[in-house]
Amino acid sequence: MIWLDTSEPGFETGFQALLNDGRDTTTRVDAAVAGIIEAVRKDGDAALLDLTRRFDRWNPPTAGALRVPPAELEAAAATVPAEQIAALQVAARRIEAFHKAQLPADISMTDAEGVRTGLRWGPIDAVGLYVPGGKAAYPSSVLMNALPARVGGVPRIAMCVPTPDGALNPLVMAAAKLAGVSEVWRIGGAQAVAALAWGTQTVAPVDRIVGPGNAYVAEAKRQVFGRVGIDSIAGPSEVVVLADAENNPRHVALDLLAQAEHDEAAQSILITDDAEFGRSVVAALRDELTRLPRAAIAGASWERHGAVVVVQDWQQAVELTNRLAPEHLQIMTSSPRELLAGIRHAGAAFLGRFCPEAIGDYVAGPNHVLPTGRTARFASGLSVFDFLKRTTWVETDAAALAAIGPAAVTLARAEGLGAHAMSVAARLELNDRRP
Amino acid sequence: MIWLDTSEPGFETGFQALLNDGRDTTTRVDAAVAGIIEAVRKDGDAALLDLTRRFDRWNPPTAGALRVPPAELEAAAATVPAEQIAALQVAARRIEAFHKAQLPADISMTDAEGVRTGLRWGPIDAVGLYVPGGKAAYPSSVLMNALPARVGGVPRIAMCVPTPDGALNPLVMAAAKLAGVSEVWRIGGAQAVAALAWGTQTVAPVDRIVGPGNAYVAEAKRQVFGRVGIDSIAGPSEVVVLADAENNPRHVALDLLAQAEHDEAAQSILITDDAEFGRSVVAALRDELTRLPRAAIAGASWERHGAVVVVQDWQQAVELTNRLAPEHLQIMTSSPRELLAGIRHAGAAFLGRFCPEAIGDYVAGPNHVLPTGRTARFASGLSVFDFLKRTTWVETDAAALAAIGPAAVTLARAEGLGAHAMSVAARLELNDRRP
């Protein structure tokens, strides 16, 4: 953990170090992944069966067995306690409502020259959703990735999840069912991404692949990009908490730890205008660490990447936050909306003393898939826009073309593109032989 | 050129070959590009000066000389003929109007539980625009890339353009001035991308880089992706023209050639319900080729990648078009809007017999930077959305948190994330010691 104070001489150097703390956990797996993708492209189902036997320690008798039959999905989901199903339903209902509000309107207009132009939104035909297996199989991620696709109108959502030793995760199956996933495949790793991108005899290809995964999955997504669309490759998570001394230090400590418990490479930063309050939060955090189930991970994250920054005023806090461009931002001051107005870069903001980031991970409604590692400078969280695409259109009759065509002819000639110029000029019966 | 007819037995095989005609022109330059980026990161301005001397054959005395001073930009622009300036102004006005119509509205809502949620759009701080030098320096591309950024509210647009032998392209300078570009740098290739992404002593870094370029520029964008955002890597261009026998074959031939003259790897496909009309178009095209300034390129593209597909009816044409997911689509039939309603995948559509694609390259208003190589299945043309990003927000007071918090606690516990659960439970004064 580092302690910085904007009033101290070494501040800028220390803050720069914080900005440059890349927390890079990338492993080079490109050759291994290229081999797996090549195998799936070449051998299709046979490669999937072989790789599943080797990596997931179970033996699918046929490629058909890689698909979870609806009855098995239902049976697994039925074992989930009612309280958890109810909680998933609250989450799904709220996520769906927030993403429905994002659905954009088409544009259609006619201008003074009689040119009709427009823009039409439409869903992607088929989306692949990768869900990690084992401990990191989060049902909340299934909802956050699949529901925006469904709200966007995507007709086919194919989910791939590894099932080590053949075991299904009931809560993940319940989430898949609730989110309206069309197909569930027990396929993991780079081979799942390859199958979704290229298709096999049994798995139909998709147009875009989303969802988190380990280094192999991330590298596989990079390698199939272009053949299909992909979402951003997420780095380790981070939170910036702006908190004044009116807060309960324990609440703030738990918010910092909630981020830290994800991953040793996660980062939690407290920015406060009160050094004494900052010290109370650090003390509360150390106290909570003695009881936390994931204390080893959270403690390592806090010691390696955590920070407390003491500022002179909230304007300074806003400026530093914009430089950090955090994935998550909590604003726990007396006027959080005012501060938010000055924030230019943040993935998601949580306003008020009773608005912990954890509600955003599950039930608030906005997406929890967010830009990490300062990419909020240019990137956004997952949304319905990730599952829609645009077609623009133009309609001109002879009169409208006569109004705007000559300018196109002039520019095409200036750029040396003779056929471009002539395709317009011929219709205008201009002197279309001049190239 | 291939001729396909849906009524003939070999059709599906031939059409599949058309779909799989990747037209891949990629050269492997990754190692060279990695070296250039490393040099710019390490040596900054000194590397830029050295690389500019080597690749662009002129000798900037200092790094400051890499920036085009406003007076020089004005002077270059002043040499452009008035007719061309007027045409650029028509284009700029129309592009600006169409992109303004895209500006999205923020979302803000309060639900039954008292939870306030919202989504706020904001511009990226700084955008880099790459413009190729030499023959491919298209002023229209400057407008199409810079104007959506300006409409989106991006305060800083830094343009890089190589100036071989030190010569500025007057029309490109005029377009930059008109589009409100903030800075123009005479830097090209991978070194320009590296300077924009990482910054040097003289060039301030940007957050996102857009614009076309050669293999080095494309690979450099790939390599800096993550540090900054990038637009899609464009492949060779393509057009599908749906045309019935009521059209002038020469008009259709010129539209096919307009695409073909871009690049030998470009692709032009005519889909018609009348084989006789198809033959007339091919004859007209061969005739036009005898007069076209870029006949060598256009002819090579047509012979290698061109196609005529004869269909039984327009429904069939729509289905084939959706499989092709073309960058550009012209619909020259009696009811183009009806056919467009069935098109799921196309970057931009041009409706009617007097609506050649070339007007979309210059003056129609919609963007001419479009998804190529069947990526319209999941990708869209450039728009204001490329220069905006979203911040979502949530605001809960104690009562609202009491309404939705318990479901978050249940899910956090089910996912084994103790601090997540406790950060909510502590505020609800639930039994927050149970991890």
Side-chain angles (χ1 to χ4, degrees):
Chain A
M1 192 267 292
I2 64 163
W3 181 282
L4 297 171
D5 190 321
T6 57
S7 67
E8 285 172 11
F11 172 75
E12 186 54 32
T13 310
F15 191 75
Q16 278 292 347
L18 201 59
L19 284 179
N20 294 330
D21 179 4
R23 297 176 286 139
D24 196 356
T25 52
T26 318
T27 350
R28 284 293 296 266
V29 292
D30 36 353
V33 165
I36 291 169
I37 294 175
E38 189 51 35
V40 173
R41 280 187 66 176
K42 196 167 130 276
D43 299 329
D45 286 344
L48 290 184
L49 291 172
D50 174 52
L51 291 160
T52 300
R53 283 179 195 121
R54 277 161 55 198
F55 295 132
D56 293 348
R57 302 178 305 277
W58 69 287
N59 195 350
T62 63
L66 291 169
R67 181 155 176 190
V68 179
E72 196 180 339
L73 192 149
E74 293 279 348
T79 68
V80 175
E83 186 197 13
Q84 292 180 10
I85 294 288
L88 276 182
Q89 284 166 340
V90 169
R93 180 174 49 77
R94 298 186 56 85
I95 295 164
E96 204 167 340
F98 188 80
H99 288 78
K100 271 187 183 159
Q102 296 170 5
L103 282 168
D106 290 349
I107 298 170
S108 172
M109 50 197 190
T110 308
D111 59 31
E113 288 85 357
V115 181
R116 297 184 70 228
T117 49
L119 180 157
R120 204 187 58 180
W121 294 88
I124 293 172
D125 279 350
V127 165
L129 164 55
Y130 189 84
V131 177
K135 293 251 169 176
Y138 292 141
S140 56
S141 286
V142 175
L143 299 183
M144 290 289 182
N145 281 279
L147 284 170
R150 209 181 57 173
V151 168
V154 174
R156 177 174 166 244
I157 304 172
M159 173 173 138
C160 282
V161 57
T163 55
D165 304 308
L168 290 179
N169 177 322
L171 200 54
V172 165
M173 293 303 121
K177 190 186 151 199
L178 198 56
V181 165
S182 325
E183 305 161 13
V184 177
W185 299 89
R186 328 158 75 112
I187 312 172
Q191 60 272 27
V193 175
L196 289 169
W198 290 96
T200 68
Q201 299 87 335
T202 305
V203 183
V206 302
D207 302 301
R208 185 175 168 106
I209 301 175
V210 299
N214 63 17
Y216 287 83
V217 171
E219 175 60 26
K221 281 163 70 180
R222 266 191 208 96
Q223 292 189 16
V224 299
F225 174 58
R227 168 78 187 178
V228 296
I230 60 166
D231 58 354
S232 56
I233 311 273
S237 205
E238 74 256 352
V239 71
V240 167
V241 181
L242 311 187
D244 63 21
E246 301 303 305
N247 287 286
N248 181 332
R250 184 166 169 251
H251 292 176
V252 175
L254 286 167
D255 295 342
L256 297 170
L257 287 170
Q259 206 56 44
E261 75 177 341
H262 272 298
D263 187 346
E264 292 181 5
Q267 182 167 54
S268 302
I269 298 174
L270 168 64
I271 302 184
T272 181
D273 61 346
D274 188 310
E276 186 52 40
F277 176 74
R279 279 187 286 274
S280 310
V281 170
V282 173
L285 188 152
R286 297 231 157 96
D287 177 54
E288 290 296 331
L289 269 178
T290 62
R291 285 182 298 272
L292 205 63
R294 293 168 68 92
I297 293 168
S301 156
W302 177 248
E303 290 314 324
R304 287 180 205 165
H305 305 294
V308 176
V309 181
V310 181
V311 290
Q312 299 304 299
D313 55 49
W314 291 110
Q315 184 47 40
Q316 219 170 40
V318 165
E319 282 159 23
L320 296 179
T321 302
N322 280 329
R323 291 174 68 189
L324 288 163
E327 182 190 13
H328 303 104
L329 171 66
Q330 287 187 213
I331 310 184
M332 301 173 68
T333 63
S334 52
S335 42
R337 284 186 219 169
E338 263 173 50
L339 293 195
L340 181 64
I343 297 293
R344 293 198 313 285
H345 312 302
F350 299 85
L351 310 181
R353 308 188 196 283
F354 287 87
C355 196
E357 185 276 327
I359 64 159
D361 286 336
Y362 298 108
V363 296
N367 213 285
H368 79 192
V369 181
L370 293 163
T372 59
R374 302 188 60 227
T375 59
R377 290 174 295 122
F378 55 83
S380 308
L382 201 73
S383 70
V384 291
F385 296 100
D386 289 275
F387 301 100
L388 300 174
K389 59 216 173 50
R390 301 177 293 274
T391 299
T392 56
W393 56 266
V394 186
E395 186 172 17
T396 44
D397 56 16
L401 187 66
I404 66 169
V409 175
T410 299
L411 291 173
R413 283 176 179 152
E415 291 186 353
L417 296 174
H420 282 67
M422 285 200 281
S423 72
V424 179
R427 285 170 168 97
L428 299 180
E429 295 177 353
L430 295 178
N431 170 17
D432 58 13
R433 284 296 161 222
R434 194 181 68 181
Chain B
M1 192 267 291
I2 63 164
W3 182 284
L4 297 171
D5 190 321
T6 58
S7 67
E8 284 172 12
F11 172 76
E12 185 56 31
T13 311
F15 191 75
Q16 278 291 347
L18 201 59
L19 285 179
N20 295 329
D21 179 3
R23 296 175 286 141
D24 196 355
T25 52
T26 320
T27 349
R28 285 294 295 266
V29 293
D30 36 354
V33 166
I36 291 170
I37 293 175
E38 188 51 34
V40 174
R41 281 187 66 177
K42 195 167 129 276
D43 299 328
D45 286 344
L48 290 184
L49 290 172
D50 174 52
L51 291 161
T52 299
R53 282 176 197 125
R54 276 162 56 197
F55 294 132
D56 293 349
R57 303 178 304 276
W58 67 287
N59 195 352
T62 63
L66 291 170
R67 182 157 175 186
V68 179
E72 195 180 340
L73 192 148
E74 294 279 349
T79 67
V80 175
E83 185 197 14
Q84 291 180 11
I85 293 287
L88 276 182
Q89 284 167 340
V90 170
R93 180 174 50 78
R94 298 186 56 85
I95 295 164
E96 202 166 341
F98 188 79
H99 288 79
K100 271 188 182 158
Q102 296 171 4
L103 282 168
D106 291 349
I107 299 170
S108 172
M109 51 196 188
T110 308
D111 59 29
E113 288 85 355
V115 181
R116 297 185 69 229
T117 50
L119 180 158
R120 204 187 59 180
W121 295 88
I124 293 172
D125 279 351
V127 165
L129 164 54
Y130 189 84
V131 177
K135 292 251 168 176
Y138 292 142
S140 57
S141 286
V142 175
L143 299 183
M144 290 289 182
N145 281 278
L147 284 170
R150 208 181 59 174
V151 169
V154 173
R156 176 172 167 246
I157 304 173
M159 174 173 136
C160 282
V161 58
T163 55
D165 304 308
L168 290 179
N169 177 321
L171 200 54
V172 165
M173 293 303 121
K177 189 185 152 201
L178 198 56
V181 166
S182 327
E183 305 160 13
V184 177
W185 299 88
R186 332 159 73 111
I187 312 172
Q191 61 272 27
V193 175
L196 290 169
W198 290 97
T200 68
Q201 298 87 334
T202 304
V203 183
V206 302
D207 301 302
R208 187 176 166 104
I209 301 175
V210 299
N214 64 15
Y216 287 83
V217 171
E219 176 59 27
K221 281 163 69 180
R222 266 191 208 97
Q223 291 189 17
V224 299
F225 174 58
R227 168 78 187 180
V228 297
I230 60 167
D231 59 354
S232 56
I233 312 274
S237 205
E238 74 256 351
V239 71
V240 168
V241 181
L242 311 187
D244 62 21
E246 302 302 307
N247 288 287
N248 181 333
R250 184 168 167 248
H251 293 177
V252 175
L254 286 167
D255 296 342
L256 297 170
L257 287 171
Q259 205 57 42
E261 76 177 340
H262 272 298
D263 187 347
E264 293 181 4
Q267 182 167 54
S268 302
I269 299 174
L270 168 65
I271 302 184
T272 180
D273 61 345
D274 188 310
E276 187 51 41
F277 176 74
R279 280 187 287 272
S280 311
V281 171
V282 173
L285 189 151
R286 298 233 158 96
D287 177 56
E288 290 296 332
L289 268 177
T290 62
R291 285 182 297 271
L292 206 62
R294 293 168 68 91
I297 293 167
S301 156
W302 178 249
E303 289 315 325
R304 287 179 205 165
H305 305 294
V308 176
V309 181
V310 181
V311 291
Q312 299 304 299
D313 54 49
W314 292 110
Q315 184 48 40
Q316 220 170 38
V318 166
E319 281 158 23
L320 296 178
T321 303
N322 281 328
R323 291 174 69 188
L324 289 163
E327 182 191 13
H328 304 104
L329 172 65
Q330 286 186 214
I331 309 184
M332 302 173 67
T333 63
S334 51
S335 41
R337 286 187 219 167
E338 262 172 50
L339 292 194
L340 181 64
I343 297 293
R344 295 199 312 286
H345 312 302
F350 299 85
L351 310 181
R353 307 188 196 282
F354 286 85
C355 197
E357 185 276 327
I359 62 160
D361 286 335
Y362 299 107
V363 295
N367 213 285
H368 79 192
V369 180
L370 293 164
T372 59
R374 301 188 62 227
T375 59
R377 290 174 294 121
F378 55 83
S380 307
L382 202 72
S383 69
V384 291
F385 296 100
D386 289 275
F387 302 99
L388 300 173
K389 61 216 171 52
R390 301 176 294 273
T391 298
T392 56
W393 56 266
V394 185
E395 186 172 18
T396 44
D397 58 16
L401 186 66
I404 67 168
V409 174
T410 299
L411 290 172
R413 283 176 178 152
E415 291 186 353
L417 295 175
H420 282 66
M422 286 200 280
S423 72
V424 178
R427 286 170 167 97
L428 300 179
E429 296 178 353
L430 293 179
N431 170 16
D432 59 11
R433 285 295 162 224
R434 195 182 70 179

